[in-house]
Amino acid sequence: MGAILCNPRQVIIGLGFIVLGLAVYLLGRPVWQISLLPDPWFPGWSTTLVSGRVTASLPSFFHVLGFSLLCAGIVAANRRACLLICGLWAFINAVFEFLQTDFFYHFCESRLQEGRLYGSATIWLKNYSLNAVYDHGDLLAVILGAIGAYWVI
């Protein structure tokens, strides 16, 4: 039986980037965009402490970078597996970015009204799309996060 962690240092670095991304997200986003915690958990200064054009996309960058390093540090034994992991995290994040587009919101809304789609998952996706903000900068951050993770590995 082999070791559970292929690279413990990589796992720790990945967790650090995930925590850093979560901190930027919680401190730089308006409360209405965050569904992780109830309103009383947020400080009144949240959107003024960490805000700006660059920091707006940092959570996307850190998410892909952190989760790629974390997963590769746990399971990847070679560079090809690391490339696959980085690519999958970039793909997952790009899909969630697409779910934030107005196109997707109107797609869900029209299908719900027509009765062609139904269920709590569809309503959740529609509401996610309504409350989220699509940004090309986030897609660039996703790509750079995957490249950065592969470079670190």
Side-chain angles (χ1 to χ4, degrees):
M1 183 109 115
I4 294 174
L5 297 177
C6 291
N7 190 334
R9 183 183 306 164
Q10 199 170 291
V11 170
I12 291 168
I13 293 170
L15 287 171
F17 278 118
I18 293 167
V19 169
L20 188 59
L22 183 62
V24 171
Y25 190 79
L26 291 175
L27 297 174
R29 297 288 168 93
V31 175
W32 61 267
Q33 280 189 341
I34 303 170
S35 60
L36 294 173
L37 299 171
D39 289 352
W41 283 62
F42 293 96
W45 38 264
S46 83
T47 59
T48 58
L49 183 65
V50 181
S51 62
R53 181 69 209 123
V54 173
T55 58
S57 296
L58 276 178
S60 296
F61 174 78
F62 288 142
H63 187 261
V64 174
L65 180 65
F67 276 100
S68 295
L69 290 172
L70 175 68
C71 291
I74 293 172
V75 299
N78 59 50
R79 300 286 284 177
R80 186 174 182 191
C82 293
L83 182 62
L84 178 64
I85 288 168
C86 293
L88 284 173
W89 276 111
F91 176 75
I92 289 166
N93 280 267
V95 167
F96 272 90
E97 193 62 33
F98 170 73
L99 295 177
Q100 298 175 26
T101 61
D102 290 337
F103 168 80
F104 186 78
Y105 171 78
H106 292 296
F107 173 82
C108 286
E109 181 67 19
S110 66
R111 297 311 183 274
L112 283 167
Q113 288 177 356
E114 295 168 2
R116 293 170 54 190
L117 288 176
Y118 54 90
S120 58
T122 304
I123 293 168
W124 183 89
L125 285 170
K126 181 189 75 120
N127 291 336
Y128 173 80
S129 182
L130 176 66
N131 290 320
V133 178
Y134 172 80
D135 184 6
H136 291 308
D138 287 347
L139 281 179
L140 179 60
V142 162
I143 293 166
L144 293 175
I147 292 170
Y150 188 71
W151 181 76
V152 168
I153 295 168

